[in-house]
Every structure is written in structure tokens, then in C-alpha cells.
Amino acid sequence: MKINRLLLLLLSVSLTSYAQKVKRIEPPNWWVGMHHNQVELLVYGDEIATYTPSINNESILLKEIKKTDNENYVFLTIDVSNAPVGFFKIDFTKKGKRNNFSVDYELKERKKDSKLRKGFDSSDAIYLITPDRFANADPSNDIVKGLHETKIDRKHDYARHGGDIKGITEHLDYISDMGFTAIWSTPVLENDMKESSYHGYAITDLYKPDPRFGTMEEYIDLATKSNKKGLKFIMDQVANHIGIEHWWMKDLPSKEWINYQNEFEKGELIVTNHRRSTNQDNYASKKDKDLMNAGWFVSAMPDLNQKNPLVANYLIQNSVWWVETLDLGGIRQDTYPYPDKDFMSNWAGAIMEEYPNFSIVGEEWSLNPLLVAYWQKGHINKDGYESNLTSTMDFPMQRAIVDALNEEEQWDTGFVKMYEGLANDFVYANPNNIMVFPDNHDMSRIFTQLNEDVVNTKMALGYVLALPRIAQIYYGTEVLLNDTAKPGDHGLIRTDFPGGWKGDKVNAFTGKGLSKDQLEMQSFMKKVLNYRKNSEAIHAGKTIHFAPENGVYVLFRLLENEIVTVILNKNEKVIELDLTRFEEIGLQGKTVKNIISDEEFSWDTSLKLNSKGITILTTKF
């Protein structure tokens, strides 16, 4: 018996040591029934490339073995087009060695109708959240031993504050009741950086959430419960770069895995010039183009080389893996113009081929509508480029709204900026699929941008929510969060949501401690958002607007019997608005309702506007 036990122990230790030869396989699993059925596995382990991999399974074909100059990596292309659900073995052998071993790989059953999943569109109002600053539901994960940053300090704008995945999950009712229809969370994947890890954009592991945010089970639970609540779940992804502490950086898979790799290994840092227009500029120098796309975003974020087919395929598969794992309703892609643009076209194309009704929005921070339009699917570009990207972000309109509301009314200033900004829609392939916003996690809060003018802020938000666009609102906008103390400071912009932490004196989830202005804004937003949620005219109706006159700008959304009227008024004194000017809309004699005050009246020849502000009327009630 003692001999048998000793043999079993030795066998157990031996098998464990063999399994440890493979430290990672990515993606960690795949699914049957996928369009992408030629899966390229990154296998990482000590001298793994010195072994010969094989698969002894009639349903699964090992099509190709790719090796790099690093013996710790091997890439296996596997055909799973005829594979059943379940595990199969990948064998690793080495001639003349007794330590041959196998690893199991799982093919899961795909969710029914996964291919047909619907992405976000102009019927959606998206709630953007920075998780570390939203709510801390699980203080036990605030500090995780073994990670670089192990401190919580809510008084420090750039430290971790402790918000987590559960904090979002526990407040889904609030988000839904406010009238939002989708959630976009900034990245929650592992960011094991030495400082400022809270924001999530320097990812150190592309296949697992940061434990300070929560577990994979909690992440999936958030997505599942969001979907059950009717809230589409949008994942923020980063194809351009990783964090300097990513596990790859300790043992890079190949000589051309990151851009300017040779220079990096010699201690030299080459940062991008951020000249995004080089992607379209007929006259741009090759040097400027190369530096824009290959330079590192910042010194802590190595730039991935998407021209390397192994990198490209890894990133595409990673995105598809998360769509399936989290049952996503969309992807937001960070720093969209920075990676190789041919790769970005292939990346978006691969995802849309897998999910034809899906949605992807890309960040192009440009105030030039021509540059924004270039990246949207269907736009006819002179260079023949097709992005396959369904949605871009409307930075031009955001700036136009702020300028219009801050400026005095003259021929070429004030509301005319909004009027002409919307007129630029002729350049877009599909304006309805562009995402508009009053602010986001990278710019000053709209309340700060509008000099803490509550009335102007209401006008901005009401206008944004009525436009023929996908709407996005940053968390806390509904209670006038601001960064006025240090305008533009990212740590302050991403301030804590009141009530998200135990002991908070102010609680925006319940209304406790909010000021009169905050309560009024929250109520205003709730009414507009919930009306928007069921307004077909706003979702898909015709848009007609009239040139600003005498400090008043009027916009209509129309679909069948529903007419939504948005009146923006800068006049401090009482004025009579001549309604005969809008005769073509067909409202004469119809009863309309103010969606904020619930007042009803008949549309006649004039309307008294008692004070500066926004009026939103509807024929649907």
C-alpha cells in the first residue's frame, strides 16, 4: 500500500508539473457554431515551442502551428467548424523526453440566437459610468495583496476610491428608473499599474476583470442583470495599447509585438504626435503618419503592433470572446484613429460579420465633422477606405452646444452654432447612428463648461436627448456633478457619485441631502429620459428645425401622429413666440402637453415664454 501511495503521489506531482508548463491559453475557451471557427490559440509556457502539439480528435483539426523567436510561445490555429460542445485534449510531445503532457480546451454551447443580438441605436440613452467612482458595494475587494496599487484614498483625485462591479449591479434599478436604456462602463479589466489604475485604460490582462472591481462571475452577473432590466451592456475596449505592467511586457511574444519595440528595449521612448488627421491627409508625410499610428499613446501604455497578424487576430478574438461571454449589446472602442486603420476596418468587419445587428462606437476626438464622418460605415471616402464602424462620437456637436449656450445671441454667435452644427448632418452616412453627449469622462463636466448655469445645462441636456442621435449621459450629470474647482482635471471630472459609499452625507440614489437645483435637475432628466424611452418620433422621426430668431431656437421631431417640439429660449423677460412661423409642421389646433410641467394647451398663433429656458411639448399623451 505504501508503494502504491508513493507512486500515486509521484504521478500527481508529475502531472501537475506538466500542466504548469502551459501557463496560459488565450482565448481560454471558444464556442461551437461561430462564424469565426478557425481559432488561433496563444499558448504560453516555458519553452513550449520546443514541444510538438497535436490533437487526436476526428471533429477538430489542428491546421497550423506558428512559432516566433520566443520559445515560450506557440500559436495554434484550430478548425472547430465541425466540433461538438465539450472538452478536447491538446497533446504536447517532445522526442526522447518522458514529460509529454496534455491540456484540456473547452468549446462551449453558444447562446441561442447570439448571432442576431441587437446593438444600441438612436432609441437608446446610454449611462456612462466610471466604476471606481460610482458605488462601493464590496469594501472587501478594495485592497488586493500582490497588486501594485494597494491604497484607497477618496480625497486623492487620482487614487483608487473603491467603486466596483457590484456597485453598478446594486443600482440598476436607479439607472433604469431614470430612463436610461443602456450602460457603458469604462474598462474594468485588470489594470495592475503602479499609479492611477482606477481609470481602466492601461489594461494588464485582456481576459480577466481587475479583482479590485470584482470577479468574473460578478462581471457576468452585472451584464446578465442589466440585460434582464432592459439595459443593453456596452463594453469599453482598447485595441491601441496595453499597460506597461501587462504580463506580455515581461516576456514579449515576438520581436514585433509592440510598436518601436527595439527602441523600448534600448530604453528609448517614442510617443505619438497625436496628429489624427494624418489618417485622411493627402499631403501628410510618411514620418508623421507612422508616428501617429505607431507612437505610444503615453509612456505607460505600450502601443500594440496591429500589423502583426498574430496581434491582430488576438485582438479580434478577444473582442468576440467578450461579446459572447458577457452577452454584450455593444462595444465602445477607445482611441479609434490611433491603431493601424486597415486593422481597425478588419476588426470591426469581423465583429459585424459575426453579429450583423451589433453596434460599435469609435472615439474620434475631432471637432471637424469631415474627420468624424470618415470613420462611419457607408461614408464614401476618396481613398476608398471602409471602416465597418457603425457609430462615431459627435464631438463637433458637443462643442457647438457649449459655444452656443455660452455666447451672446448675434448673427454668427449663440444658437446659430447649434443650428449650423446640426446642418452638418449632410456629411454623415447615417446621422442617427452617431453618438452625441454633453460631456464624458475625459472632458469637463457640462455644468462646469456652462459656468454652472442650471438653466443652460437643462437646455443642453434637453437638446441632446431630442436630437436624431444615440444619446450618452455621464453618471452624475443628473445631479450637477462638476469639476469647477479644477476645470479639466480628470481625477475631479470622475468624482464620486453621492451615496455610492456607506456614510455619504448626500445620497443621489435616494435624494437625501441634494440641493434644490440638484433635485430639480434629476427630476427634469428623469422626465425627459422616460419620455424619450417611448418616443418613436425621437427614435426614428423626421427632424425639422428653424433658424434662431430673437434668442429662440425651435426644433421638431415628427413621426405619424407624434410631434415633439423643443423650444430653447435665452430671453430673460417674457416674450410672445409667433407660432404661425411653424405652420408647415401641422400643429395648428392640436393639443400639446409640456412633458415637464404636464400643462396641456391648444397650439394657436402664439405662445408666451415667461423666462429663459427649455420647453418640450408633445402631441403624444
Side-chain angles (χ1 to χ4, degrees):
M1 286 292 290
K2 287 182 180 180
I3 294 175
N4 288 339
R5 285 177 181 173
L6 180 61
L7 287 171
L8 286 171
L9 178 62
L10 289 172
L11 179 60
S12 175
V13 170
S14 177
L15 288 172
T16 300
S17 67
Y18 298 159
Q20 288 176 345
K21 289 184 182 297
V22 173
K23 298 176 182 178
R24 290 176 181 264
I25 297 183
E26 292 177 343
N29 68 272
W30 204 247
W31 293 263
V32 299
M34 300 287 286
H35 179 82
H36 189 102
N37 54 33
Q38 310 294 304
V39 190
E40 187 169 80
L41 305 182
L42 178 155
V43 184
Y44 177 60
D46 293 339
E47 298 182 347
I48 192 67
T50 64
Y51 288 79
T52 300
S54 62
I55 298 173
N56 185 20
N57 188 310
E58 292 181 355
S59 302
I60 298 163
L61 176 64
L62 176 56
K63 291 188 69 175
E64 190 174 4
I65 301 169
K66 299 176 185 175
K67 299 180 181 181
T68 69
D69 50 276
N70 188 337
E71 288 189 340
N72 294 333
Y73 291 85
V74 66
F75 293 81
L76 310 179
T77 302
I78 299 174
D79 183 345
V80 297
S81 56
N82 297 311
V85 173
F87 289 88
F88 66 90
K89 290 188 179 299
I90 305 174
D91 299 316
F92 291 87
T93 59
K94 184 183 287 189
K95 187 176 181 181
K97 297 287 184 179
R98 298 178 59 188
N99 59 347
N100 297 338
F101 64 96
S102 301
V103 295
D104 290 329
Y105 192 79
E106 184 179 11
L107 296 174
K108 295 183 177 182
E109 184 175 1
R110 197 179 187 190
K111 181 183 176 182
K112 184 181 178 183
D113 296 329
S114 176
K115 180 183 180 68
L116 303 178
R117 69 181 63 244
K118 189 175 184 295
F120 54 83
D121 57 29
S122 56
S123 69
D124 287 304
I126 300 167
Y127 198 54
L128 167 58
I129 297 170
T130 299
D132 182 65
R133 308 298 171 86
F134 187 63
N136 186 357
D138 185 6
S140 70
N141 64 21
D142 287 357
I143 296 173
V144 177
K145 291 182 179 179
L147 298 183
H148 285 106
E149 198 171 9
T150 56
K151 184 180 180 181
I152 295 291
D153 186 356
R154 290 184 66 195
K155 294 181 180 180
H156 193 301
D157 290 341
Y158 290 87
R160 297 190 76 93
H161 290 193
D164 47 37
I165 292 169
K166 274 189 177 180
I168 302 174
T169 307
E170 290 189 359
H171 293 101
L172 290 176
D173 283 343
Y174 169 82
I175 297 168
S176 178
D177 291 346
M178 278 296 299
F180 292 100
T181 61
I183 294 172
W184 155 23
S185 160
T186 57
V188 299
L189 300 188
E190 184 193 87
N191 261 244
D192 189 15
M193 301 290 285
K194 293 177 180 178
E195 59 183 10
S196 297
S197 64
Y198 77 94
H199 60 68
Y201 288 97
I203 297 170
T204 56
D205 191 321
L206 287 157
Y207 276 102
K208 72 174 183 181
D210 193 300
R212 292 163 295 190
F213 285 134
T215 64
M216 179 68 83
E217 291 72 23
E218 289 167 347
Y219 198 16
I220 293 172
D221 184 57
L222 168 59
T224 301
K225 288 180 177 175
S226 294
N227 287 329
K228 286 181 179 178
K229 273 279 179 192
L231 296 164
K232 295 169 185 172
F233 196 67
I234 301 166
M235 186 178 185
D236 201 335
Q237 298 187 352
V238 188
N240 182 64
H241 54 261
I242 53 175
I244 195 74
E245 300 294 336
H246 191 289
W247 65 271
W248 281 333
M249 299 304 293
K250 298 171 181 63
D251 191 15
L252 284 163
S254 72
K255 287 181 179 177
E256 296 181 339
W257 196 258
I258 60 173
N259 288 317
Y260 293 113
Q261 187 164 324
N262 289 335
E263 290 80 358
F264 164 71
E265 290 171 348
K266 294 174 183 176
E268 183 181 356
L269 175 66
I270 299 179
V271 179
T272 178
N273 55 20
H274 297 284
R275 298 300 180 188
R276 298 182 301 276
S277 60
T278 57
N279 284 299
Q280 298 88 3
D281 186 355
N282 290 335
Y283 312 122
S285 65
K286 183 178 184 301
K287 183 176 180 63
D288 284 347
K289 287 183 177 183
D290 290 346
L291 188 58
M292 163 58 203
N293 295 125
W296 290 23
F297 195 72
V298 294
S299 61
M301 297 177 180
D303 206 71
L304 293 172
N305 177 19
Q306 299 91 6
K307 292 181 179 179
N308 180 333
L310 296 175
V311 176
N313 211 21
Y314 181 98
L315 293 170
I316 289 170
Q317 291 180 163
N318 178 258
S319 292
V320 172
W321 189 88
W322 280 113
V323 174
E324 290 289 327
T325 298
L326 295 178
D327 195 15
L328 293 178
I331 291 172
R332 181 264 185 181
Q333 183 59 249
D334 189 53
T335 56
Y336 203 85
Y338 284 82
D340 176 69
K341 71 179 187 181
D342 291 328
F343 161 75
M344 293 310 296
S345 174
N346 294 335
W347 171 83
I351 294 169
M352 296 307 298
E353 196 169 29
E354 194 73 63
Y355 313 102
N357 303 315
F358 198 60
S359 300
I360 309 169
V361 60
E363 179 199 31
E364 162 57 290
W365 193 324
S366 173
L367 303 182
N368 184 343
L370 298 176
L371 296 185
V372 175
Y374 178 89
W375 296 105
Q376 190 181 27
K377 179 182 179 181
H379 189 265
I380 300 174
N381 294 311
K382 285 189 175 181
D383 62 1
Y385 183 74
E386 172 54 73
S387 72
N388 295 308
L389 180 68
T390 61
S391 180
T392 49
M393 306 187 87
D394 202 348
F395 284 92
M397 180 56 76
Q398 191 280 334
R399 173 62 67 84
I401 291 169
V402 171
D403 287 348
L405 290 168
N406 280 334
E407 293 172 353
E408 294 294 326
E409 286 299 303
Q410 296 181 23
W411 173 255
D412 58 352
T413 61
F415 282 142
V416 70
K417 295 287 182 69
M418 294 159 75
Y419 176 74
E420 292 183 348
L422 189 57
N424 283 329
D425 276 14
F426 76 89
V427 77
Y428 298 124
N430 190 343
N432 279 22
N433 274 348
I434 293 174
M435 186 179 292
V436 72
F437 50 93
D439 60 19
N440 63 24
H441 57 297
D442 286 328
M443 63 168 60
S444 276
R445 293 276 183 165
I446 186 62
F447 191 45
T448 295
Q449 292 188 58
L450 295 176
N451 304 307
E452 297 199 347
D453 186 313
V454 176
V455 176
N456 279 353
T457 303
K458 283 184 181 178
M459 284 199 276
L461 295 171
Y463 184 71
V464 161
L465 292 171
L467 286 175
R469 294 285 193 277
I470 302 159
Q472 171 251 295
I473 303 292
Y474 195 28
Y475 79 97
T477 298
E478 71 273 23
V479 290
L480 300 174
L481 292 189
N482 66 82
D483 58 302
T484 307
K486 291 185 287 183
D489 182 86
H490 281 192
L492 186 56
I493 290 165
R494 305 158 185 171
T495 198
D496 293 349
F497 190 88
W501 280 254
K502 187 176 181 180
D504 282 358
K505 292 180 180 179
V506 179
N507 189 331
F509 295 118
T510 65
K512 176 186 175 184
L514 291 177
S515 70
K516 180 183 176 182
D517 283 344
Q518 287 178 310
L519 286 169
E520 193 176 295
M521 180 61 76
Q522 192 177 44
S523 174
F524 171 82
M525 288 288 289
K526 189 172 184 178
K527 287 181 178 180
V528 177
L529 282 162
N530 277 287
Y531 179 83
R532 187 189 195 281
K533 185 185 289 188
N534 299 301
S535 173
E536 291 298 324
I538 293 178
H539 298 170
K542 184 179 180 180
T543 303
I544 299 176
H545 65 162
F546 290 75
E549 277 190 3
N550 304 317
V552 179
Y553 172 37
V554 184
L555 174 141
F556 297 91
R557 303 297 311 280
L558 310 88
L559 186 65
E560 297 177 350
N561 293 324
E562 182 187 6
I563 302 175
V564 177
T565 305
V566 179
I567 304 170
L568 304 178
N569 173 33
K570 283 191 183 179
N571 293 281
E572 301 284 354
K573 296 180 180 180
V574 177
I575 66 164
E576 288 283 340
L577 180 64
D578 180 9
L579 299 185
T580 62
R581 182 185 177 210
F582 314 116
E583 183 179 0
E584 67 188 81
I585 303 300
L587 276 170
Q588 294 88 339
K590 292 186 177 180
T591 301
V592 295
K593 179 179 180 178
N594 186 314
I595 70 168
I596 305 303
S597 68
D598 291 330
E599 176 192 3
E600 297 178 19
F601 60 91
S602 178
W603 186 277
D604 202 351
T605 57
S606 67
L607 175 65
K608 180 182 286 188
L609 300 177
N610 292 315
S611 60
K612 174 183 173 181
I614 183 170
T615 302
I616 306 176
L617 308 172
T618 180
T619 57
K620 177 184 175 182
F621 54 93

